[in-house]
Amino acid sequence: MSKEVLLDVRHLTQQFHLTKKIKVKAVDDVSFQIHKGEIFGLVGESGSGKSTLLNMLAGLEPSDGTVFHNGKTVEMPEPSRAMVYQTMALFPWMTVMDNVAFSQKVKKIPKKERAQIAQKFIDLVGLTGFEKSFPIQLSGGMKQRVGIARAYCSDPDVLLMDEPFGHLDAQTRYMMQESIEEIWEKEKRTVVFVTNNIEEALYLADRIILLSDCPSQIRAEYKIDLPRPRDLVSPEFMRLRKEITERMNSAVY
Ligand code: ADP
Ligand code: MG
């Protein structure tokens, strides 16, 4: 694994003004680095500031502090940082193929070439044969696959995933976790994976940062050296799960 830094996050702080007088601090002086090619897990309880932090990495939220992407300051969203959300906003009137190829259309790439690139990512996420289907015809997991293919299609350096499987049933969720890993093995991109599910983070991530309750601060960092694909019931996996769970639940940090 390269130690080349892709995203360098320095002293990020985010404060929301609810009214003129009332402010909520969501993120408090957070610094970390994300290496090229790794799966980086951002873990914290609901409301701890994970989405706020991820949005700042994307360039969606102005904030105090700086995010450097390949040494360049992040100022606004760019296709090189693709977002994957819990519910992907697919275009309901477009087929799977057109949804996936959409970013290419924006870039004015010729139709034939667009279809070839989109097909590659449709195959990669396991949706071969569903090119002409419409989103309404797909299950939740399949819609999520379309969203992931679309994100890859914009040829990003990094995929920013905000609890992408949060609303899926447990079985589908496991399948999606396996898919994310398989896709990552084939098409090495950096992935920042936000979740409140410690097991999910342990299954996927090379490194995990555990956030405190709101306002987010870094409570602990873990390097996960377990071989892939990971065995959810291996003693080491279960030991780490227990350790991180206890840390997450402890008020003292
Ligand atoms: P998480 O993704 O970990 O569940 P969020 O980043 O969504 O947490 O929220 C962290 C805190 O910041 C919460 O207290 C939330 O209410 C607050 N917050 C998030 N976005 C806004 C906003 N746009 N305006 C005001 N408060 C916000
Ligand atoms: Mg969130």
Side-chain angles (χ1 to χ4, degrees), residues 7 9-14 16 26-32 34 40-43 48-61 63-64 66-67 74 83 160 162 192 194 209-212 215-218:
L7 291 171
V9 176
R10 296 215 199 140
H11 303 294
L12 280 190
T13 294
Q14 181 66 272
F16 295 112
V27 177
D28 187 11
D29 195 13
V30 169
S31 299
F32 56 87
I34 296 172
F40 185 88
L42 262 176
V43 179
S48 60
K50 302 183 294 299
S51 296
T52 304
L53 199 48
L54 200 70
N55 288 344
M56 289 193 279
L57 299 195
L60 284 163
E61 304 244 24
S63 58
D64 292 332
T66 315
V67 178
V74 168
M83 294 288 284
L160 304 173
D162 193 357
V192 183
V194 162
I209 276 184
L210 179 63
L211 297 171
S212 66
S216 285
Q217 288 180 323
I218 295 176

Side-chain angles (χ1 to χ4, degrees), residues 78-202:
E78 282 174 36
S80 59
R81 295 181 299 276
M83 294 288 284
V84 177
Y85 297 99
Q86 189 171 109
T87 41
M88 287 305 297
L90 303 177
F91 301 113
W93 63 88
M94 284 189 195
T95 62
V96 166
M97 171 58 85
D98 290 343
N99 264 288
V100 173
F102 186 73
S103 62
Q104 308 282 315
K105 197 170 178 178
V106 174
K107 282 201 250 170
K108 298 204 164 55
I109 291 171
K111 197 171 176 187
K112 198 171 160 205
E113 203 179 316
R114 225 157 59 205
Q116 276 170 359
I117 299 169
Q119 188 67 51
K120 175 182 160 190
F121 291 107
I122 288 170
D123 295 344
L124 188 73
V125 299
L127 284 178
T128 315
F130 291 93
E131 294 80 359
K132 293 200 171 81
S133 301
F134 288 91
I136 200 165
Q137 299 170 299
L138 306 177
S139 69
M142 288 161 90
K143 282 187 202 145
Q144 220 44 8
R145 289 177 194 274
V146 177
I148 292 164
R150 186 167 72 187
Y152 270 93
C153 211
S154 67
D155 195 25
D157 294 341
V158 55
L159 290 111
L160 304 173
M161 302 195 177
D162 193 357
E163 307 204 46
F165 311 140
H167 69 302
L168 300 176
D169 61 90
Q171 194 56 37
T172 310
R173 191 167 182 152
Y174 282 127
M175 279 167 56
M176 294 304 294
Q177 288 164 15
E178 283 178 12
S179 294
I180 284 289
E181 184 179 41
E182 282 168 22
I183 295 166
W184 174 80
E185 296 277 4
K186 285 189 196 143
E187 192 66 40
K188 281 272 155 89
R189 304 291 162 103
T190 311
V191 175
V192 183
F193 195 96
V194 162
T195 181
N196 61 16
N197 185 313
I198 291 167
E199 187 179 81
E200 183 169 80
L202 267 177

